[in-house]
Amino acid sequence: MGLRDRLLQHAPPIGSSQSYDDYVASGGYQGLKKALGMEPDAVTQMVLEAGVRGRGGAGFPAGRKWSFVPKGTGKPVYLACNADESEPGCFKDRQIMERVPHLLIEGCVAACHAIGAQIAYIYVRGEYPQSIAALEAALVEAREKGTVGSDVMGSGWACDVWVHKGAGAYICGEETGLLSSLEGGRGYPRIKPPFPAVEGLWRSPTIINNVETLANVPLIVRDGVEAFKSVGNDDTTGTRLVGISGHVENPCDVEIDPATTTIRDLIETHAGGVWKGRKLKAVIPGGSSVPVMPADAIDVPFTYGAVRDAGSLAGAAGVIVMDETTCMVDALLNLMQFYHHESCGQCTPCREGTGWLEKLVTRIWKGEGRPSDIDLLDSVADTIGGAQNGKTICFLADSAVMPTKSFLKHFRGDFVAAVENGGSPVWKAQEARRAKVSA
Amino acid sequence: MADELVKLTIDGREVEVPRGTKVIEAVRDMGSDVPHYCWHPGLTVAGNCRICMVEVDMGRGRQTVISCNLDCSPGMQVFTQSDPAKQARQDVMELLLINHPLDCPICDQAGECKLQEYSFEFGADGSRFEFPKVHKPKHVDFSEHVKFDAERCILCTRCVRFCDEIAGEDELSIVNRGDRNEIAVARGGEMTNAYQLNTVDICPVGALTSTDFRFKSRVWFLKQTRSVCGSCSRGCNTTVGTRWNKVLRMVPAENDDVNQWWMCDAGRLAFKHTAADERLGAPMVRKDGKLVEASWDEALSAAVEGLEAAGDGLFALVSARLTNEELFLARGILDKVGTQHVDFKPRTWPKDDLLRTGDGNPNAAGARFFGIAPGDGAHGLEALAESGLKAAFLCGEDLDERPDDLAALEAMDFVLCTGFHETETMRRCASVVLPGVTEFEKDGSFTNIDGRMQRIQPSLSAPGSARPDWKLLGQLLARLGGGEAPRSADQVLKSMGATHPELEGLSLGRLGPLGKSLPQGESPVTEGENTVTAGENTVTEGENTVTEGASA
Ligand SMILES: Cc1cc2nc3c(=O)[nH]c(=O)nc-3n(C[C@H](O)[C@H](O)[C@H](O)COP(=O)(O)O)c2cc1C
Ligand code: SF4
Ligand code: SF4
Ligand code: SF4
């Protein structure tokens, strides 16, 4: 089965946004129409059978998440669409928001119908003004045409969709940090239990899904479970939107069949190969939080299972490519600066540990490291990591730990060299430039 | 559903707890403790410090998890002392200390600091961290009462939650991100809530300190005495910290039925009147229009003479700040003298939904119980000026702020005053002054707004020859023919049963550290069957000093 370019099949080129009329002409809002004629549970059942997994990174089956919403609590139910897209290396959700905004709106309204919500909030990364503008323009159209509002498509059922602009914190992409922020508080992730499906936004049942996850819903409902599953495999159903960036000739977003597209294909076929004719050194396949892969590990299909078996995670599908000239100490320092900067600071291990990691990597990078620092770095990573072991409230700490441990595992040589040879080549080049300027 | 019990195993011991109990609470109920910083029994669960780690097995293998947010469930096995649990706690300790200034030598919290305690118990013996620490602001004034040191703060958010959840003023918050996080007063203002010093108590480290107590003394030199606040009728339980015969601080003592873990700032700081300089140290009698020092014998004789001469023409104002034992004796004196013109002075205090009752008399309930009120057709305080009465007994009370009444007193033939400091009333009107003591210098009991009798205990010795009011009143009563003078407040309480069956069998010791509720109509308590259930701090008769942990 070849790739059917589904989510972006009718999308206009980058820079323009599909109008309501064009969207409808290409089959838009038929999924919602059909969903409105179905029992809500039947819609959830379809999504469950379609096996679509969360595209925000964790890969949790969307239908299962929806089934956790308790019935008859007397409280309102909310849908929160996670459009924060703040993971370094990820820029796929904006393709949907900017080019086919009605697809996301349709997905939100259909999902609301399924889970019993009448309000959806789309929490958009503040640094995405184009996404916000496109969604807001599409919402004006949708309200006018009645696909959003007090009488959705003549069904008599009301559903509203609001765009909420984030204020520039990575942690507000974590689902419960997002809820805190949406409520007007600090973007602090929340301890679980309670899980948001039971007690989320304003202590009411809330489903949080990624943009791409929700954008798949209209297609599943309209075309049926089998059509959806005709792409991908049992582990990863449907297409995946992937952003490829870093040292490639042609950084891009592509929609692929994950079962038949390998990481090598992504780089060589879709992104024009490693730039400047250089060789590949490393790939971070799922956004900056996942383990790094050495060049020889990338001949695996881009399914959740295959990438996991190869030692990393498909995560949020932000493929970061590093060529042979990359100093991995320098690359890790960049990541550690990010996680230290973005830790919300709630939990002791993450608050204190992310700073410690950055300081250690900096020391090695600047040529002040000792041989024992390399093991120390690994051990500090162990000290702070493991939300699954109860160490932290959310997975941000793990997001710093996974790169650290995998960089050391696969590229220990770069760290040893930095310790032995007076620092990272990047640091040394900067020093040389500084010396020249002051000379 | 609240009554439903679940059975689980904690460290090999089977326990049964009500459904909804958190594991950390269940461990506490067993008399043991899981280390914790952010968890506080009176606040919502924040789960941020991550030190209360235990291992649990719910049938799917062991897992480390924080115990403050974990509901006890049937069949659960909890291991508080397993290696992974201990390792996790040690890891958190190491991380908490990497940016901590470790200025214990000059930190007020030293000696009751959870960082010190847990480091001592299970911290590692060194740190792997060798970088400059993150620097943050120190000695920031959050208000006139509370000072903040951001470097010592471990960001547990207890203070933030207290202000929001208990004091009802969401005035503290966290600003910045990550290891740059700091507590700040919202909108850059000052803390204003009336309970803000509780944040100092619950701060597990020395980040929040009391401006009043700062650098006054190392806490381990304080003598700690359990008592009750005398500023309003709530009767918040307190631990009074004294040194050099001075009160240096007062902090709330936990009592679930009265004040939980809290007390108001005004009550907490209301110990300044104990200062020796304005205190009465000797009896005085008026000679040639001037008050001069006299011996106790001379003063008591003059007092008795005046009281007997006044008879039913005596106006008595008995303070509702006196203890039950003293009120009982005062009542006895007034009965002997035979007057019906009896009253107490109302005293106002702020009122709110948390603790403050609006009634500034700590023992108004006791005063009512012992009939400190005008008899039929008799004159009360409001009628004093027009009463035409010629003698007065101001028992632990003054009328300084009531000029009309002062003028009426001035015109009288005989005025007896007791009290612990010299008042305008004494200077202008007293014929005889008998020096009593403050509530920090005597034994006894107060009955609070809910009818709970609670014990006060002395933490200071009184200046000069001043005597506890129960003693001087007992001596007055004896000289009026009321039998032998009591030797202790406890003896007075024990004797009350004869005339007040509700109090039968009670003693100060039997009130226990948490007091005893005496609802109307409760059957008399009889010797032997009345076991007082005590918390950790059992006060036994005759013993007046208890030490206790500083905070929950
Ligand atoms: C630190 C952190 C940042 C995250 N940022 C995002 C994000 O920007 N966008 C997103 O969709 N999910 C993000 N996630 C994942 C969400 O927590 C959540 O799993 C997801 O929104 C659920 O939607 P899905 O099931 O449809 O993937 C983040 C998670 C963490 C721990
Ligand atoms: S793990 Fe880090 S980012 Fe997540 S809640 Fe804890 S401190 Fe905040
Ligand atoms: S000031 Fe004290 S109570 Fe408040 S967050 Fe810091 S350590 Fe906790
Ligand atoms: S509320 Fe009343 S009893 Fe409690 S501390 Fe304040 S004044 Fe004292």
Side-chain angles (χ1 to χ4, degrees), chain A residues 281 328-329 374 407-421:
Chain A
K281 181 163 186 177
M328 297 308 272
V329 180
I374 298 170
F407 270 59
L408 290 176
K409 180 172 170 202
H410 298 298
F411 302 99
R412 198 179 178 90
D414 281 18
F415 290 81
V416 172
V419 168
E420 288 175 355
N421 306 332

Side-chain angles (χ1 to χ4, degrees), chain A residues 53-62 65 82-87 92-93 170-176 178 192 208-211 213-214 289 316 339 394-396 399:
Chain A
R53 292 171 64 169
R55 303 296 199 236
F60 193 83
K65 193 189 278 187
N82 192 340
D84 196 53
E85 188 145 82
S86 44
E87 177 92 352
K92 63 179 183 67
D93 291 339
Y170 173 56
I171 198 57
C172 293
E174 196 281 339
E175 55 186 18
T176 54
L178 183 151
K192 299 166 195 144
I208 303 131
N209 273 126
N210 171 258
V211 169
T213 314
L214 290 169
S289 301
Y339 290 109
C394 87
F395 280 87
L396 186 139
S399 302

